[in-house]
Amino acid sequence: MRAVVVLSGGMDSTTLLYDVKSQGYEVFAISFLYGQKHSKELEFAKKTCSLLSIPYKIVDISFFAELAPSALTTPDWNVPEGYYTDSTMKQTVVPNRNMVLLSISAAYAISLGAKKLFYGAHAGDHPIYPDCRKEFVEAMKNALYLADYIGLELEAPYVDMKKEDILRRGLELGVNYSLTWSCYKGGQKACGRCGTCTERIEAFKKVGVKDPIEYEIEIDW
Amino acid sequence: MRAVVVLSGGMDSTTLLYDVKSQGYEVFAISFLYGQKHSKELEFAKKTCSLLSIPYKIVDISFFAELAPSALTTPDWNVPEGYYTDSTMKQTVVPNRNMVLLSISAAYAISLGAKKLFYGAHAGDHPIYPDCRKEFVEAMKNALYLADYIGLELEAPYVDMKKEDILRRGLELGVNYSLTWSCYKGGQKACGRCGTCTERIEAFKKVGVKDPIEYEIEIDW
């Protein structure tokens, strides 16, 4: 059975990709260029897909940065630093981003004759990102099922999981986390100070494993 | 209060544009280039917006034609001819098109601080287009309301209306139907034989009014 995975190149969706493949699906991955400052995440997504021999498609929706500005996409709007649940992190909300990504991914899935569409929303996202909350996922499941004759099924298996539990799952699956990128600043090395970096570092610390990627700052693992 | 209207340039969404404006909203219109053979519809949409002094935005999602092929977008796939409820018309279904258009329009609306998003799905679409059915509209209303903190409200006031009733409404509103385009073939003149042409002609006949646009074939009004 065919399945499409929305792959950002970050820890969670990369773990999900390994997970879905391990369940025996014929997996197709799709990523999006939406004007994100950390578009280097797609290089990592691409490497993971070639490592796993998974067909990989990048869709360019760069118009989105101008249409719906946010700290992730607007050049003169700094990526906030701090703990990932700080309310300042709401500046990194890209208006309706996940519904846009899911709807385009669904069109791709329907055209492939896939019955499943997977995406990696998780519990750590809930305080900040409205389009990662469980009630949104449920509403999208319903809308996607009705959007076409195929009855496409949206799956968000990590929606109740914490990032460290996803990491534990990934380590079981043998995920190569050196081929993942999280930092919203998209610099040479991960900054270690933005919301997604603080969340990533915390997850690795909780699991007691050193993060294989390099950081601009010293991290006491 | 601000409102965004998804405007194709066809009869129904153009009528809806006039309608929403008549209700006192500050209206913004958005159209999409998704690789449709009848992209000339956007010229008509543009003319209507300038006539009504409505800010108008075209979003280019031409990648969609390759991502999710259909008779409306794929060059060597003919637009079927015949009555608009014929099952052959299912070839004109563009996989998940409306959810994609609505989700991007919603991102635009959220960024504008608009509370309402209008789209012109109507009863005549139901037999063929799954993403025009009432249950889909309800599911999308729910998902859009949850997608962001703003609680965006999706409105599809014509979802139970027949095309001829929308036309009657438009004539009351003074809609200039010579500035609307429906024909999926996108030729110099409307073909008069494709599904959307047969539906348009039928609506004008039922209302007893001659359609102001030109057709390739003789029409007995």
Side-chain angles (χ1 to χ4, degrees), chain A residues 114-161:
Chain A
K115 272 293 277 178
K116 300 266 188 184
L117 172 62
F118 286 88
Y119 100 111
H122 65 86
D125 295 326
H126 296 181
I128 299 297
Y129 301 103
D131 53 5
C132 285
R133 293 173 302 178
K134 205 166 179 182
E135 53 271 38
F136 172 74
V137 173
E138 292 309 314
M140 278 302 284
K141 274 188 187 185
N142 191 26
L144 279 167
Y145 191 79
L146 292 165
D148 199 273
Y149 299 111
I150 201 168
L152 184 68
E153 292 164 18
L154 175 65
E155 303 281 356
Y158 299 161
V159 75
D160 285 321
M161 285 172 72

Side-chain angles (χ1 to χ4, degrees), chain B:
Chain B
M1 187 192 285
R2 288 185 163 187
V4 170
V5 176
V6 185
L7 179 66
S8 66
M11 283 179 62
D12 311 311
S13 60
T14 302
T15 305
L16 183 57
L17 192 74
Y18 277 74
D19 211 333
V20 174
K21 187 165 171 82
S22 74
Q23 295 167 41
Y25 288 99
E26 181 189 359
V27 182
F28 294 77
I30 188 167
S31 292
F32 294 85
L33 205 52
Y34 58 92
Q36 66 271 47
K37 292 169 189 168
H38 60 300
S39 58
K40 70 183 281 182
E41 64 177 353
L42 303 190
E43 295 159 28
F44 291 81
K46 195 170 184 180
K47 283 178 190 159
T48 293
C49 285
S50 71
L51 184 71
L52 300 177
S53 314
I54 288 174
Y56 177 58
K57 183 179 278 291
I58 296 179
V59 176
D60 186 344
I61 54 169
S62 311
F63 64 81
F64 207 66
E66 183 263 333
L67 190 80
S70 94
L72 290 201
T73 53
T74 308
D76 50 17
W77 190 346
N78 290 331
V79 170
E81 298 188 352
Y83 197 61
Y84 64 95
T85 56
D86 294 350
S87 63
T88 47
M89 295 304 153
K90 287 191 174 168
Q91 299 168 58
T92 62
V93 171
V94 179
N96 213 29
R97 187 200 70 162
N98 285 357
M99 187 186 281
V100 172
L101 305 193
L102 287 172
S103 59
I104 295 169
S105 304
Y108 181 48
I110 291 165
S111 299
L112 287 172
K115 272 292 275 181
K116 299 267 187 183
L117 172 63
F118 285 88
Y119 99 112
H122 64 87
D125 295 327
H126 297 181
I128 299 296
Y129 302 105
D131 53 6
C132 286
R133 292 173 304 177
K134 209 169 176 183
E135 53 270 39
F136 172 75
V137 172
E138 290 310 312
M140 279 301 285
K141 275 187 184 184
N142 191 26
L144 279 168
Y145 190 79
L146 292 166
D148 200 274
Y149 299 111
I150 200 169
L152 185 68
E153 292 164 20
L154 175 66
E155 302 283 354
Y158 299 162
V159 74
D160 285 321
M161 285 170 72
K162 292 189 188 125
K163 204 170 183 86
E164 59 267 27
D165 296 327
I166 297 169
L167 173 56
R168 287 192 181 97
R169 175 68 183 140
L171 293 170
E172 281 167 19
L173 290 162
V175 173
N176 179 349
Y177 284 106
S178 69
L179 294 185
T180 63
W181 182 266
S182 306
C183 180
Y184 283 152
K185 294 189 180 175
Q188 194 60 34
K189 294 181 182 176
C191 77
R193 292 181 300 273
C194 73
T196 190
C197 275
T198 56
E199 190 185 24
R200 176 172 178 137
I201 292 164
E202 185 183 83
F204 272 94
K205 282 188 176 178
K206 284 185 177 172
V207 173
V209 170
K210 182 179 181 300
D211 188 347
I213 66 166
E214 290 186 284
Y215 284 85
E216 284 171 6
I217 58 173
E218 262 314 302
I219 312 283
D220 171 17
W221 298 105

Side-chain angles (χ1 to χ4, degrees), chain A residues 20-40:
Chain A
V20 174
K21 185 167 173 80
S22 76
Q23 296 167 39
Y25 288 98
E26 182 190 358
V27 182
F28 294 76
I30 188 168
S31 291
F32 294 85
L33 205 54
Y34 58 92
Q36 66 271 49
K37 292 168 189 170
H38 59 301
S39 57
K40 71 182 282 182

